[in-house]
Amino acid sequence: MELIITETITEADQNELLAGLKEYNRPFIGGIGWGELAVYARDDSGKMTGGLIAKCRGDWLSIDYLWVSDEERGSGLGSQIMQAAEDEARERGCLHALVDTFSFQALPFYQKKGYQLQMTLDDFPVKGIQRHYLSKAL
């Protein structure tokens, strides 16, 4: 057996690893209700002004990324994007949502949307910054 340590994760290697992991997990958590979900906002010229990328993982909507441009912050666009994603997740059968955010990002925003703080990691990814994990029943 050979162990390979690398800084380069190829798409082929990642796909092979994930295929093995999914096969192992299938008897425990099944494969129904899994898929990607995205919501994008674009201005009249087609430029992206905000968006969300998430995955449906069984009963859960797992939000990976949410971004709103500086020009649109405070306009309600972030709330519209979140609402659209949550509505779509419900349509797909999700019962809960999960998101994480750094202390310099959007903790109060998510809390206003009904997300409850579940856990905080101090000094992540560096000293003085926290990573907060929140969830919400859909």
Side-chain angles (χ1 to χ4, degrees):
M1 177 180 308
E2 175 186 11
L3 293 180
I4 300 166
I5 300 173
T6 181
E7 292 181 6
T8 304
I9 300 169
T10 67
E11 187 174 345
D13 287 341
Q14 180 173 312
N15 289 342
E16 187 176 356
L17 185 145
L18 292 177
L21 182 60
K22 286 176 185 176
E23 185 62 31
Y24 175 81
N25 289 345
R26 191 175 322 283
F28 301 100
I29 56 177
I32 298 172
W34 293 70
E36 296 180 334
L37 187 156
V39 178
Y40 302 122
R42 296 188 181 276
D43 66 15
D44 293 338
S45 71
K47 179 183 174 190
M48 186 178 294
T49 58
L52 177 147
I53 295 175
K55 291 181 179 61
C56 292
R57 294 180 166 132
D59 293 340
W60 285 81
L61 170 67
S62 181
I63 300 167
D64 296 319
Y65 307 104
L66 172 65
W67 168 75
V68 175
S69 68
D70 288 340
E71 299 80 28
E72 291 294 332
R73 278 200 192 110
S75 71
L77 179 60
S79 294
Q80 291 175 329
I81 291 170
M82 288 290 293
Q83 189 64 55
E86 290 174 1
D87 290 347
E88 178 63 22
R90 278 188 204 91
E91 288 289 319
R92 295 183 186 192
C94 292
L95 305 174
H96 313 277
L98 171 69
V99 68
D100 68 271
T101 187
F102 292 115
S103 53
F104 60 87
Q105 290 178 326
L107 179 61
F109 170 80
Y110 292 118
Q111 289 173 319
K112 281 190 231 173
K113 301 288 162 239
Y115 285 77
Q116 300 292 314
L117 183 64
Q118 299 298 321
M119 182 179 87
T120 296
L121 291 177
D122 291 325
D123 298 327
F124 185 91
V126 297
K127 188 168 181 62
I129 295 177
Q130 296 80 40
R131 188 171 186 177
H132 304 291
Y133 292 85
L134 301 98
S135 67
K136 175 181 178 177
L138 296 177

